[in-house]
Amino acid sequence: MRKKYYSAKSLSRNLKGKDFVKYQDLQDSEKKDEFLEAVESEILDPDLVSWGLSEIPGRKGFCTTDNYSSRVVMRAMSLAIREQGRIVYPNKNDCVAALCSYLQTDKPVSFLKIDLKKYFDSVSHESCMKVVNDNKVDLHTASLVQSVLHSYSSLGGEGLPQGLEVSNPLSELYLKEFDDSLNSIEGLLYCKRYVDDLVLIFPDYPSRKDAIKAIKSRLPNGLMINQNKTFFMPLSPKDNIDASFDYLGYGFNILINSKVKKVSLSLSQKRKKRMETKIYKSFLSYVGNKDYGLLVDRIRFLATNRRLIDKGASQYRLSGIYYDNSLLTSMDDLIFLDRFLKNTLLHSDLNGEKARFSMNNKQVSMVLYYSFKKGFQERRFSRFSPNRAVEITKIWR
């Protein structure tokens, strides 16, 4: 099993296109082979692996590594855990579309949305390793997982580390039995968990207390529901309802009365705010460096779409203003972002300066040519070299 995931040949399948840009020695096949063979040798004894973990300042529970070989190994570990644990990640669009359908049912139902409180922090390493072993993950991968957790503990970390290539598959594996147990709730119409967000549709009208009790009784030891982020709502075709909540990057807006039954989708508040911040940071960077071309590329990157592919992949992955938000039914937030872009360019005080004053009319028009609404509706595409994409996005991290 070790050879299947951790031989030099197997490790090579975990190299990504961006790696060849950042680590240019990989473009030399001889140096690449030497690197992979060295990595294979380094992990023969998991207890001796140096992961090079460090905490990410200002983000409790998150860590990273500057050790590239560690990233490659953790990608291999992720693959091993997913395959052996039979983990299937839910598709965001499928989750959102299914929930919309259930929220518009003609039958009386109750909707419950919960958040698992400090989920990653609450998983003990002992419990994690028990789940890894119970799911018959191979011994070498299990030993590597234990080594990573030990390294994280040495930083003072508790629970599962976030931000590593192996973080998500471990968290999914840990909640696999919990997911299966939810399906045993009598009469449950719909249930879907996405990381630590869980939505459920119950028939008729169980009380909020009873609905939450059904979930609590199935939670693994140590995990709790975040009551402050719990949202419960009975739904009936006979009721007058005007309510909203955020889920998976979308704002769900529910309107039910005698004349209409409608669920519309906007940007979630968090996603909308993130876009505003990226626009503002782009202009703030411009007034500092006066790199007009970079400013235009940043706005173009945000307001259009692109095709992404990793070395060796068989198909493109589409991303951008449309493909990351393709289920939007309301254009209001995109119109707002267009106005925010214009106001930031023409009126915002950016460290005592307005971006408009260092541009001629043609340059102003070029910036305003890019529209979030049109980029979405017309599915406008842009192309960027890997190096340019790194330069564009580095100020948003």
Side-chain angles (χ1 to χ4, degrees):
M1 190 63 71
R2 184 178 64 80
K3 287 290 185 182
K4 179 178 180 181
Y5 297 105
Y6 304 106
S7 68
K9 182 178 180 180
S10 298
L11 290 169
S12 69
R13 301 189 185 104
N14 295 288
L15 302 183
K16 297 184 176 182
K18 62 183 179 182
D19 298 339
F20 290 81
V21 176
K22 189 172 183 179
Y23 307 100
Q24 297 192 5
D25 279 355
L26 294 175
Q27 297 176 24
D28 183 313
S29 59
E30 186 174 329
K31 290 182 179 180
K32 181 185 73 173
D33 290 343
E34 289 176 358
F35 165 75
L36 293 169
E37 288 167 4
V39 174
E40 180 183 1
S41 298
E42 287 172 7
I43 59 174
L44 287 175
D45 186 345
D47 291 335
L48 299 179
V49 176
S50 177
W51 298 102
L53 300 187
S54 60
E55 296 177 311
I56 298 178
R59 302 191 70 186
K60 186 179 183 300
F62 282 79
C63 61
T64 186
T65 176
D66 291 329
N67 188 337
Y68 175 59
S69 61
S70 294
R71 292 187 181 279
V72 175
V73 174
M74 282 191 270
R75 290 172 192 168
M77 293 164 62
S78 173
L79 177 62
I81 294 168
R82 293 198 315 270
E83 289 187 348
Q84 296 173 42
R86 298 181 181 179
I87 295 171
V88 179
Y89 292 117
N91 179 279
K92 277 190 177 183
N93 280 1
D94 290 345
C95 295
V96 171
L99 183 55
C100 281
S101 178
Y102 277 104
L103 290 174
Q104 296 179 87
T105 180
D106 291 327
K107 299 177 181 179
V109 297
S110 291
F111 168 69
L112 175 66
K113 177 180 178 291
I114 65 174
D115 173 85
L116 299 181
K117 187 175 183 178
K118 297 182 179 179
Y119 163 50
F120 282 84
D121 296 342
S122 302
V123 179
S124 73
H125 293 177
E126 182 181 355
S127 298
C128 178
M129 290 310 304
K130 183 179 184 304
V131 169
V132 167
N133 293 321
D134 287 348
N135 280 271
K136 296 181 172 55
V137 173
D138 71 272
L139 182 59
H140 194 69
T141 299
S143 298
L144 289 168
V145 169
Q146 192 162 33
S147 177
V148 170
L149 295 178
H150 178 74
S151 180
Y152 180 55
S153 293
S154 68
L155 296 176
E158 297 180 355
L160 294 178
Q162 298 182 65
L164 301 175
E165 283 80 351
V166 76
S167 300
N168 284 343
L170 279 178
S171 71
E172 290 296 309
L173 189 68
Y174 189 77
L175 287 178
K176 185 180 176 184
E177 185 176 343
F178 168 67
D179 292 340
D180 293 339
S181 74
L182 292 175
N183 294 323
S184 67
I185 298 177
E186 186 176 355
L188 186 66
L189 297 176
Y190 179 74
C191 174
K192 186 63 68 174
R193 180 186 59 80
Y194 197 95
V195 192
D196 55 1
D197 280 328
L198 182 67
V199 294
L200 306 98
I201 303 288
F202 295 88
D204 302 320
Y205 291 143
S207 69
R208 174 191 173 104
K209 181 179 178 180
D210 288 342
I212 293 176
K213 183 179 179 181
I215 309 304
K216 277 186 173 181
S217 65
R218 291 166 168 81
L219 279 174
N221 290 336
L223 298 191
M224 296 185 296
I225 291 174
N226 188 338
Q227 298 291 347
N228 293 330
K229 293 186 177 180
T230 298
F231 181 83
F232 179 80
M233 178 175 59
L235 289 168
S236 170
K238 298 179 181 180
D239 293 338
N240 290 325
I241 297 173
D242 187 353
S244 62
F245 62 90
D246 287 350
Y247 180 60
L248 299 186
Y250 289 96
F252 284 70
N253 308 289
I254 305 169
L255 180 62
I256 299 176
N257 55 45
S258 60
K259 296 181 179 180
V260 65
K261 178 167 51 179
K262 180 181 179 183
V263 177
S264 62
L265 296 176
S266 58
L267 294 178
S268 69
Q269 290 298 312
K270 185 176 181 179
R271 181 169 289 187
K272 181 180 173 183
K273 185 63 179 178
R274 188 183 301 129
M275 293 294 288
E276 291 178 59
T277 300
K278 288 181 178 180
I279 293 170
Y280 186 82
K281 283 186 174 181
S282 298
F283 282 103
L284 196 62
S285 175
Y286 168 73
V287 299
N289 59 28
K290 297 299 187 294
D291 191 333
Y292 174 77
L294 184 55
L295 170 66
V296 171
D297 277 354
R298 283 178 171 146
I299 302 304
R300 184 162 61 100
F301 189 95
L302 292 173
T304 60
N305 304 280
R306 51 207 167 272
R307 295 179 177 88
L308 305 175
I309 188 170
D310 274 336
K311 189 177 180 70
S314 59
Q315 60 184 8
Y316 289 101
R317 178 170 66 86
L318 300 175
S319 180
I321 191 63
Y322 172 79
Y323 291 98
D324 295 343
N325 310 284
S326 61
L327 298 182
L328 283 180
T329 58
S330 170
M331 297 294 103
D332 290 350
D333 288 334
L334 300 182
I335 293 171
F336 169 84
L337 289 175
D338 284 339
R339 290 173 179 165
F340 182 81
L341 170 64
K342 184 175 181 179
N343 288 335
T344 305
L345 169 61
L346 299 180
H347 305 299
S348 288
D349 188 309
L350 303 158
N351 287 344
E353 182 178 345
K354 288 184 171 60
R356 165 72 181 91
F357 291 161
S358 57
M359 299 182 195
N360 58 42
N361 290 338
K362 184 177 180 180
Q363 288 175 320
V364 169
S365 297
M366 176 58 70
V367 173
L368 296 179
Y369 166 78
Y370 294 103
S371 160
F372 292 90
K373 180 183 177 183
K374 289 182 180 179
F376 180 92
Q377 291 180 326
E378 300 172 10
R379 303 188 196 182
R380 293 177 173 179
F381 273 85
S382 297
R383 296 182 65 181
F384 303 93
S385 70
N387 285 333
R388 190 59 166 175
V390 169
E391 179 71 10
I392 287 170
T393 59
K394 68 181 182 181
I395 64 167
W396 299 329
R397 294 169 185 166

Coordinates of all heavy atoms in Angstrom, one line a residue, residues 104-159:
Q104 N -39.4 25.1 -1.3 CA -40.6 25.6 -2.1 C -41.6 24.5 -2.1 O -42.5 24.5 -3.0 CB -40.1 26.0 -3.5 CG -39.2 27.2 -3.5 CD -38.8 27.6 -4.9 OE1 -39.4 28.4 -5.5 NE2 -37.6 27.1 -5.3
T105 N -41.5 23.5 -1.3 CA -42.5 22.4 -1.3 C -43.9 22.8 -0.9 O -44.1 23.8 -0.2 CB -42.0 21.2 -0.4 OG1 -43.0 20.2 -0.4 CG2 -42.0 21.7 1.1
D106 N -44.9 22.1 -1.4 CA -46.3 22.5 -1.1 C -46.7 21.9 0.2 O -47.8 22.2 0.7 CB -47.2 21.9 -2.2 CG -47.0 22.7 -3.5 OD1 -46.8 23.9 -3.5 OD2 -47.2 22.1 -4.6
K107 N -45.9 21.1 0.9 CA -46.2 20.5 2.1 C -45.6 21.2 3.3 O -44.5 21.9 3.1 CB -45.7 19.0 2.1 CG -46.3 18.2 1.0 CD -45.8 16.7 1.1 CE -46.4 15.9 0.0 NZ -45.8 14.5 0.0
P108 N -46.2 21.2 4.5 CA -45.6 21.9 5.6 C -44.4 21.1 6.1 O -44.4 19.9 6.2 CB -46.8 21.8 6.7 CG -47.6 20.6 6.3 CD -47.6 20.6 4.8
V109 N -43.3 21.9 6.2 CA -42.0 21.3 6.7 C -41.4 22.3 7.7 O -41.8 23.4 7.8 CB -41.1 21.1 5.5 CG1 -41.6 20.1 4.5 CG2 -40.7 22.4 4.8
S110 N -40.3 21.8 8.3 CA -39.5 22.6 9.2 C -38.1 22.6 8.7 O -37.6 21.5 8.3 CB -39.6 22.2 10.6 OG -40.9 22.4 11.2
F111 N -37.5 23.7 8.6 CA -36.1 23.9 8.2 C -35.2 24.2 9.3 O -35.5 25.0 10.2 CB -36.0 25.0 7.1 CG -34.6 25.4 6.8 CD1 -33.8 24.5 6.1 CD2 -34.1 26.6 7.2 CE1 -32.5 24.9 5.8 CE2 -32.8 27.0 6.9 CZ -32.0 26.1 6.2
L112 N -34.1 23.4 9.4 CA -33.1 23.6 10.5 C -31.7 23.8 9.9 O -31.3 22.9 9.1 CB -33.1 22.5 11.5 CG -32.1 22.5 12.6 CD1 -32.3 23.7 13.5 CD2 -32.1 21.2 13.4
K113 N -31.0 24.9 10.2 CA -29.6 25.1 9.8 C -28.8 25.2 11.1 O -29.1 26.0 11.9 CB -29.5 26.3 9.0 CG -28.1 26.6 8.5 CD -28.0 27.9 7.7 CE -26.6 28.3 7.3 NZ -25.8 28.8 8.4
I114 N -27.7 24.4 11.2 CA -26.9 24.5 12.4 C -25.4 24.5 12.0 O -25.0 24.1 10.9 CB -27.1 23.3 13.3 CG1 -26.7 22.0 12.7 CG2 -28.5 23.2 13.8 CD1 -26.7 20.8 13.6
D115 N -24.6 25.0 12.9 CA -23.2 25.1 12.7 C -22.5 24.3 13.9 O -22.9 24.5 15.1 CB -22.8 26.5 12.7 CG -21.2 26.7 12.7 OD1 -20.7 26.7 11.7 OD2 -20.7 26.9 13.8
L116 N -21.6 23.5 13.6 CA -20.8 22.8 14.6 C -19.8 23.7 15.3 O -18.9 24.2 14.6 CB -20.2 21.5 14.1 CG -21.1 20.5 13.4 CD1 -20.3 19.3 12.9 CD2 -22.2 20.0 14.4
K117 N -19.9 23.9 16.6 CA -19.1 24.9 17.3 C -17.7 24.5 17.4 O -17.4 23.4 17.9 CB -19.7 25.1 18.7 CG -19.1 26.3 19.4 CD -19.8 26.5 20.8 CE -19.2 27.7 21.5 NZ -19.9 27.9 22.8
K118 N -16.8 25.3 16.8 CA -15.4 25.1 16.9 C -15.0 23.7 16.5 O -14.3 23.0 17.3 CB -14.8 25.5 18.3 CG -15.0 27.0 18.6 CD -14.4 27.3 20.0 CE -14.5 28.8 20.3 NZ -13.9 29.1 21.6
Y119 N -15.6 23.2 15.4 CA -15.5 21.8 15.1 C -14.0 21.3 15.1 O -13.7 20.3 15.7 CB -16.2 21.5 13.7 CG -15.8 20.2 13.1 CD1 -15.9 19.0 13.9 CD2 -15.4 20.2 11.8 CE1 -15.5 17.8 13.3 CE2 -15.0 19.0 11.2 CZ -15.1 17.8 12.0 OH -14.7 16.6 11.4
F120 N -13.2 21.9 14.3 CA -11.8 21.4 14.1 C -11.1 21.4 15.5 O -10.3 20.5 15.8 CB -11.0 22.3 13.1 CG -11.4 22.0 11.7 CD1 -12.5 22.5 11.1 CD2 -10.6 21.1 11.0 CE1 -12.8 22.3 9.8 CE2 -10.9 20.8 9.6 CZ -12.0 21.4 9.0
D121 N -11.3 22.4 16.3 CA -10.7 22.5 17.6 C -11.1 21.5 18.6 O -10.4 21.2 19.6 CB -10.9 23.9 18.2 CG -10.3 25.0 17.4 OD1 -9.4 24.7 16.6 OD2 -10.7 26.2 17.6
S122 N -12.3 20.9 18.3 CA -12.9 20.0 19.3 C -12.6 18.5 19.1 O -13.0 17.7 20.0 CB -14.5 20.2 19.3 OG -14.8 21.6 19.6
V123 N -11.9 18.2 18.1 CA -11.6 16.8 17.8 C -10.3 16.4 18.5 O -9.2 16.9 18.1 CB -11.5 16.5 16.3 CG1 -11.2 15.1 16.0 CG2 -12.8 16.9 15.6
S124 N -10.4 15.5 19.4 CA -9.1 15.1 20.1 C -8.3 14.2 19.1 O -8.8 13.5 18.3 CB -9.4 14.3 21.4 OG -9.9 13.0 21.0
H125 N -7.0 14.3 19.3 CA -6.1 13.5 18.4 C -6.3 12.0 18.7 O -6.3 11.2 17.7 CB -4.7 13.8 18.7 CG -4.3 15.2 18.3 ND1 -3.1 15.8 18.5 CD2 -5.1 16.2 17.7 CE1 -3.1 17.0 18.0 NE2 -4.3 17.3 17.5
E126 N -6.6 11.6 19.9 CA -6.9 10.2 20.2 C -8.2 9.7 19.4 O -8.2 8.7 18.8 CB -7.1 10.0 21.7 CG -7.4 8.6 22.1 CD -7.6 8.4 23.6 OE1 -7.5 9.4 24.3 OE2 -7.9 7.3 24.0
S127 N -9.2 10.6 19.4 CA -10.5 10.2 18.7 C -10.2 10.2 17.2 O -10.7 9.3 16.5 CB -11.6 11.2 19.0 OG -11.9 11.2 20.4
C128 N -9.4 11.1 16.7 CA -9.1 11.1 15.3 C -8.4 9.9 14.9 O -8.7 9.2 13.8 CB -8.3 12.4 15.0 SG -7.8 12.5 13.2
M129 N -7.4 9.5 15.6 CA -6.6 8.3 15.2 C -7.5 7.0 15.3 O -7.3 6.1 14.5 CB -5.4 8.1 16.1 CG -4.3 9.2 15.9 SD -3.9 9.3 14.1 CE -3.4 7.6 13.7
K130 N -8.4 7.0 16.3 CA -9.3 5.8 16.4 C -10.2 5.7 15.1 O -10.4 4.6 14.6 CB -10.2 6.0 17.6 CG -11.2 4.8 17.8 CD -12.0 5.0 19.1 CE -12.9 3.7 19.3 NZ -13.7 3.3 18.2
V131 N -10.7 6.9 14.6 CA -11.5 6.9 13.4 C -10.7 6.4 12.2 O -11.1 5.7 11.4 CB -12.2 8.3 13.2 CG1 -12.8 8.3 11.8 CG2 -13.2 8.5 14.3
V132 N -9.4 6.9 12.2 CA -8.5 6.6 11.1 C -8.3 5.0 11.0 O -8.4 4.4 10.0 CB -7.2 7.3 11.2 CG1 -6.1 6.7 10.2 CG2 -7.3 8.8 10.9
N133 N -8.1 4.5 12.2 CA -7.8 3.0 12.3 C -9.1 2.2 12.1 O -9.1 1.2 11.4 CB -7.2 2.7 13.6 CG -5.8 3.2 13.8 OD1 -5.0 3.3 12.8 ND2 -5.5 3.7 15.0
D134 N -10.2 2.7 12.6 CA -11.5 2.0 12.4 C -11.9 1.9 10.9 O -12.6 1.0 10.5 CB -12.6 2.7 13.2 CG -12.5 2.5 14.7 OD1 -11.7 1.6 15.1 OD2 -13.2 3.1 15.5
N135 N -11.5 2.9 10.2 CA -11.9 2.9 8.7 C -10.8 2.2 7.9 O -10.8 2.3 6.7 CB -12.0 4.4 8.3 CG -13.4 5.0 8.6 OD1 -14.3 4.8 7.9 ND2 -13.4 5.6 9.8
K136 N -9.9 1.5 8.6 CA -8.9 0.7 7.9 C -8.0 1.4 6.9 O -7.7 0.9 5.8 CB -9.6 -0.5 7.2 CG -10.3 -1.5 8.2 CD -11.0 -2.6 7.5 CE -11.5 -3.6 8.4 NZ -12.5 -3.1 9.4
V137 N -7.7 2.6 7.3 CA -6.7 3.4 6.5 C -5.3 2.7 6.7 O -5.0 2.2 7.8 CB -6.6 4.8 7.0 CG1 -5.4 5.6 6.3 CG2 -7.9 5.6 6.8
D138 N -4.6 2.5 5.7 CA -3.3 1.7 5.7 C -2.4 2.3 6.8 O -2.4 3.4 7.2 CB -2.6 1.7 4.4 CG -2.0 3.1 4.0 OD1 -2.7 3.9 3.4 OD2 -0.8 3.3 4.3
L139 N -1.6 1.4 7.3 CA -0.7 1.6 8.5 C 0.2 2.8 8.2 O 0.5 3.6 9.1 CB 0.1 0.4 8.8 CG 1.0 0.5 10.1 CD1 0.2 0.9 11.3 CD2 1.7 -0.8 10.3
H140 N 0.8 2.9 7.0 CA 1.8 3.9 6.7 C 1.1 5.3 6.7 O 1.7 6.3 7.3 CB 2.5 3.7 5.4 CG 3.7 4.5 5.2 ND1 4.9 4.3 5.9 CD2 4.0 5.6 4.4 CE1 5.8 5.2 5.6 NE2 5.3 6.0 4.6
T141 N -0.1 5.4 6.1 CA -0.8 6.7 6.1 C -1.2 7.1 7.5 O -1.1 8.2 7.9 CB -2.0 6.6 5.2 OG1 -1.6 6.3 3.9 CG2 -2.8 7.9 5.2
A142 N -1.7 6.1 8.3 CA -2.1 6.3 9.7 C -0.9 6.9 10.5 O -1.0 7.8 11.3 CB -2.6 5.1 10.3
S143 N 0.3 6.3 10.3 CA 1.5 6.7 11.0 C 1.9 8.1 10.6 O 2.3 8.9 11.4 CB 2.6 5.8 10.7 OG 2.4 4.5 11.2
L144 N 1.7 8.5 9.3 CA 2.0 9.8 8.9 C 1.0 10.8 9.5 O 1.4 11.9 9.9 CB 1.9 9.9 7.3 CG 3.1 9.2 6.6 CD1 2.8 9.1 5.1 CD2 4.4 10.0 6.8
V145 N -0.3 10.4 9.6 CA -1.3 11.3 10.2 C -0.9 11.6 11.6 O -1.0 12.7 12.1 CB -2.7 10.6 10.1 CG1 -3.7 11.4 11.0 CG2 -3.2 10.6 8.7
Q146 N -0.5 10.5 12.4 CA -0.2 10.7 13.8 C 1.0 11.6 13.9 O 1.1 12.4 14.8 CB 0.1 9.3 14.4 CG 0.3 9.4 15.9 CD 0.2 8.0 16.5 OE1 0.6 7.0 15.9 NE2 -0.4 7.9 17.7
S147 N 2.0 11.5 12.9 CA 3.1 12.4 13.0 C 2.8 13.8 12.7 O 3.3 14.7 13.4 CB 4.1 11.9 11.9 OG 5.3 12.8 11.8
V148 N 1.8 14.1 11.8 CA 1.4 15.5 11.6 C 0.7 16.0 12.8 O 0.9 17.2 13.2 CB 0.4 15.5 10.4 CG1 -0.3 16.9 10.3 CG2 1.1 15.2 9.1
L149 N -0.2 15.2 13.4 CA -0.9 15.7 14.6 C 0.1 16.0 15.8 O -0.1 16.9 16.5 CB -1.9 14.6 15.1 CG -3.1 14.4 14.1 CD1 -4.0 13.3 14.6 CD2 -3.9 15.7 13.8
H150 N 1.1 15.1 15.9 CA 2.1 15.4 16.9 C 2.9 16.7 16.7 O 3.1 17.5 17.6 CB 3.1 14.2 17.0 CG 4.2 14.4 18.0 ND1 4.0 14.2 19.4 CD2 5.5 14.7 17.9 CE1 5.1 14.5 20.0 NE2 6.0 14.7 19.1
S151 N 3.2 16.9 15.4 CA 3.9 18.2 15.1 C 3.0 19.4 15.4 O 3.5 20.4 15.9 CB 4.3 18.1 13.6 OG 4.9 19.3 13.2
Y152 N 1.7 19.2 15.1 CA 0.8 20.3 15.4 C 0.7 20.6 16.9 O 0.6 21.7 17.3 CB -0.6 20.0 14.8 CG -1.6 21.0 15.0 CD1 -1.5 22.4 14.6 CD2 -2.9 20.7 15.6 CE1 -2.4 23.3 14.8 CE2 -3.8 21.7 15.8 CZ -3.6 23.0 15.4 OH -4.6 23.9 15.6
S153 N 0.7 19.5 17.7 CA 0.6 19.6 19.1 C 1.8 20.4 19.7 O 1.7 21.1 20.6 CB 0.5 18.2 19.8 OG -0.7 17.6 19.5
S154 N 3.0 20.1 19.0 CA 4.2 20.8 19.5 C 4.2 22.3 19.3 O 4.9 23.0 20.0 CB 5.4 20.2 18.8 OG 5.4 20.6 17.4
L155 N 3.3 22.8 18.5 CA 3.1 24.2 18.3 C 2.1 24.8 19.3 O 1.8 26.0 19.4 CB 2.5 24.5 16.9 CG 3.4 24.2 15.7 CD1 2.7 24.5 14.4 CD2 4.7 25.0 15.7
G156 N 1.5 23.8 20.1 CA 0.5 24.3 21.1 C -0.9 24.1 20.5 O -1.9 24.6 21.1
G157 N -1.0 23.5 19.3 CA -2.3 23.4 18.6 C -3.2 22.3 19.3 O -2.7 21.3 19.8
E158 N -4.5 22.5 19.2 CA -5.4 21.5 19.8 C -6.4 21.2 18.6 O -6.8 22.0 17.9 CB -6.2 22.1 21.0 CG -5.3 22.4 22.2 CD -6.1 22.9 23.3 OE1 -7.3 23.1 23.2 OE2 -5.5 23.1 24.4
G159 N -6.8 19.9 18.6 CA -7.8 19.5 17.6 C -7.1 19.2 16.3 O -5.9 18.9 16.2

